[in-house]
Amino acid sequence: MLSMVERDHLTVTSDLTLLNKVQQWFEHFCLQYVFQFGWSETQLYRLNLALAEGFTNAVRHAHRALPPETTIDIEVSLWVDRMEIRIWDHGKPFNPDAIAEPEPGTPQVGGYGWFLLRRLADRVVYERSDDKNCLLIVKYANP
């Protein structure tokens, strides 16, 4: 069994202006722990973009009808072979498989977030437990 190297947690409110804070927190974690394990800037850029997409989806969609002080919990875990990001929100359950993938060359409103997440990460999982949604984003060190 491969072991976890480091973990960190951040709680923020449902405010899109906090996206910078979320991304800076992630970048600080990477500077502190991740580069020493041989991760490339490209891998970390993709993960930071996936984190931004997951956070903005939680604010814009899951928490749309909830008070702005509703919290979003984010956890990053560095393992020997991968990094995992978990984003928990308090929105209603939904089925990400019901979101149609955009057709190339056909403009549409919405639906690009899940498409983008699936391209940026090696694994994207949505789970519902304890009245919360959890988005799990996984990137392997050496795919």
Side-chain angles (χ1 to χ4, degrees), residues 82-106:
R82 68 189 180 279
M83 195 177 325
E84 297 177 352
I85 298 172
R86 286 180 170 79
I87 304 170
W88 288 277
D89 68 62
H90 299 274
K92 293 180 181 176
F94 80 107
N95 179 4
D97 295 328
I99 300 171
E101 208 167 273
E103 292 290 325
T106 307

Side-chain angles (χ1 to χ4, degrees), residues 20-83:
N20 247 357
K21 177 181 179 174
V22 169
Q23 290 188 288
Q24 287 172 353
W25 165 80
F26 179 75
E27 288 169 5
H28 179 73
F29 179 87
C30 291
L31 286 172
Q32 209 169 7
Y33 304 109
V34 177
F35 282 117
Q36 63 187 323
F37 289 94
W39 286 73
S40 72
E41 285 190 33
T42 301
Q43 287 172 303
L44 299 175
Y45 173 80
R46 292 170 67 93
L47 267 174
N48 202 343
L49 187 55
L51 169 61
E53 184 60 37
F55 173 75
T56 57
N57 280 349
V59 173
R60 287 184 177 151
H61 302 294
H63 288 186
R64 178 182 330 159
L66 298 175
E69 60 273 5
T70 305
T71 58
I72 296 171
D73 294 301
I74 306 168
E75 179 183 274
V76 60
S77 303
L78 176 63
W79 297 76
V80 172
D81 67 330
R82 68 189 180 279
M83 195 177 325

Side-chain angles (χ1 to χ4, degrees), residues 99 114 116:
I99 300 171
W114 275 99
L116 182 62

Side-chain angles (χ1 to χ4, degrees), residues 111-126:
Y112 290 98
W114 275 99
F115 173 78
L116 182 62
L117 276 171
R118 290 179 180 139
R119 298 303 181 272
L120 293 170
D122 295 320
R123 193 168 149 235
V124 178
V125 178
Y126 164 82

